[in-house]
């Protein structure tokens, strides 16, 4: 039998055990869904996930929310996403990626033409990442759903984000609560998202 779905969440899996598990998944090229959320994944797991996404994977859904992949792990996933052609949904919520780890993920979507749903909420990123996000949104033509809640992008970051959204006709869902952006920018952004959804 071919393994297609693997869900091991809320299981207290350590970083090393998760790394070994992910490495073994390279022997299961038919895997389409992987959920390792709410565990103890760290840098080693992040690197292993990068290799998995970079290989001959047909993975379509990856949920590693509520772990501790960090900046290095985020970078590994971001670099792999540049050439990945199968992943549709990626949930990286609450992984302490910071600006250093989140920017490679965002930049990858300037080349990636497959990902449709991205959750990068609660990852401690700030204004510089919002600028990169704005640039990505001006060029990306496939991302439909984006969650960036609970990141401190601030008023200046909000202005940049609005500039990117104004050039984007594809995104139909954007959650930007608790990002400290200006109320006026938030209203304009949400209006553009509604227009995208209605068109």
């Amino acid at each position: 039998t071919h393994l297609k779905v693997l869900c091991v969440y809320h299981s207290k899996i350590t970083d090393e055990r998760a790394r070994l598990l992910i490495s073994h998944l390279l022997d299961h090229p038919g895997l389409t869904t992987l959920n390792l959320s709410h565990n103890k994944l760290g840098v080693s797991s992040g690197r292993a996930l990068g290799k998995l996404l970079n290989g001959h994977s047909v993975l379509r859904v990856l949920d590693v929310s509520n772990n501790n992949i960090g900046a290095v792990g985020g970078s590994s996933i971001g670099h792999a996403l540049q050439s990945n052609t199968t992943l549709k949904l990626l949930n990286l919520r609450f992984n302490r990626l910071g600006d250093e780890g989140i920017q490679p993920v965002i930049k990858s979507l300037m080349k990636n033409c497959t990902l449709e749903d991205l959750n990068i909420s609660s990852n401690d990123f700030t204004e510089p990442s919002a600028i990169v996000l704005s640039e990505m949104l001006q060029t990306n033509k496939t991302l439909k759903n984006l969650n960036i809640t609970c990141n401190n992008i601030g008023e200046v970051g909000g202005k940049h984000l609005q500039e990117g959204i104004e050039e984007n006709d594809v995104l139909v869902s954007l959650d930007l609560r608790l990002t400290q952006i200006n109320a006026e920018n938030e209203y304009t952004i949400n209006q553009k998202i509604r227009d995208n959804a209605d068109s």
Side-chain angles (χ1 to χ4, degrees):
T1 57
H2 297 292
L3 183 65
K4 291 190 175 182
V5 176
L6 180 61
C7 299
V8 192
Y9 48 86
H10 287 286
S11 300
K12 299 180 181 177
I13 297 178
T14 63
D15 187 34
E16 180 59 19
R17 286 185 175 178
R19 181 191 67 79
L20 289 169
L21 173 63
I22 295 163
S23 297
H24 284 300
L25 292 177
L26 291 167
D27 297 327
H28 296 275
L31 188 72
T32 60
T33 300
L34 178 59
N35 184 343
L36 295 173
S37 63
H38 299 84
N39 284 297
K40 297 180 179 180
L41 279 66
V43 173
S44 297
S45 302
R47 286 180 171 147
L49 286 166
K51 289 179 183 175
L52 183 66
L53 291 170
N54 218 2
H56 303 291
S57 166
V58 294
L59 203 62
R60 294 171 62 85
V61 175
L62 176 59
D63 184 351
V64 288
S65 59
N66 287 64
N67 280 288
N68 190 19
I69 288 172
V72 174
S75 295
S76 298
I77 292 171
H79 292 307
L81 280 175
Q82 290 184 29
S83 54
N84 182 278
T85 58
T86 61
L87 199 67
K88 298 284 187 184
L89 183 150
L90 175 60
N91 189 344
L92 290 169
R93 181 176 75 91
F94 202 76
N95 264 291
R96 298 183 178 91
L97 301 184
D99 289 309
E100 187 183 344
I102 209 67
Q103 288 184 26
V105 174
I106 296 169
K107 287 178 181 177
S108 74
L109 300 186
M110 295 179 187
K111 295 182 178 179
N112 181 291
C113 299
T114 317
L115 198 72
E116 296 179 355
D117 195 315
L118 176 64
N119 187 335
I120 48 175
S121 61
S122 301
N123 268 298
D124 305 319
F125 66 83
T126 61
E127 179 190 317
S129 297
I131 295 171
V132 177
L133 195 56
S134 174
E135 293 169 356
M136 179 275 289
L137 288 169
Q138 293 177 52
T139 58
N140 182 281
K141 301 300 178 192
T142 51
L143 192 67
K144 295 177 182 176
N145 306 295
L146 176 62
N147 187 332
I148 60 169
T149 58
C150 302
N151 289 291
N152 187 15
I153 65 173
E155 290 194 9
V156 176
K159 289 177 183 175
H160 285 287
L161 187 60
Q162 180 181 330
E163 290 171 7
I165 291 291
E166 286 173 347
E167 300 297 319
N168 183 294
D169 297 321
V170 183
L171 201 67
V172 294
S173 173
L174 173 61
D175 195 340
L176 40 70
R177 292 168 296 152
L178 302 173
T179 53
Q180 287 74 48
I181 75 168
N182 180 295
E184 185 179 334
N185 293 131
E186 185 174 2
Y187 175 83
T188 305
I189 289 169
N190 285 332
Q191 186 59 54
K192 180 63 168 78
I193 295 296
R194 282 192 290 270
D195 291 344
N196 287 355
D198 291 340
S199 63

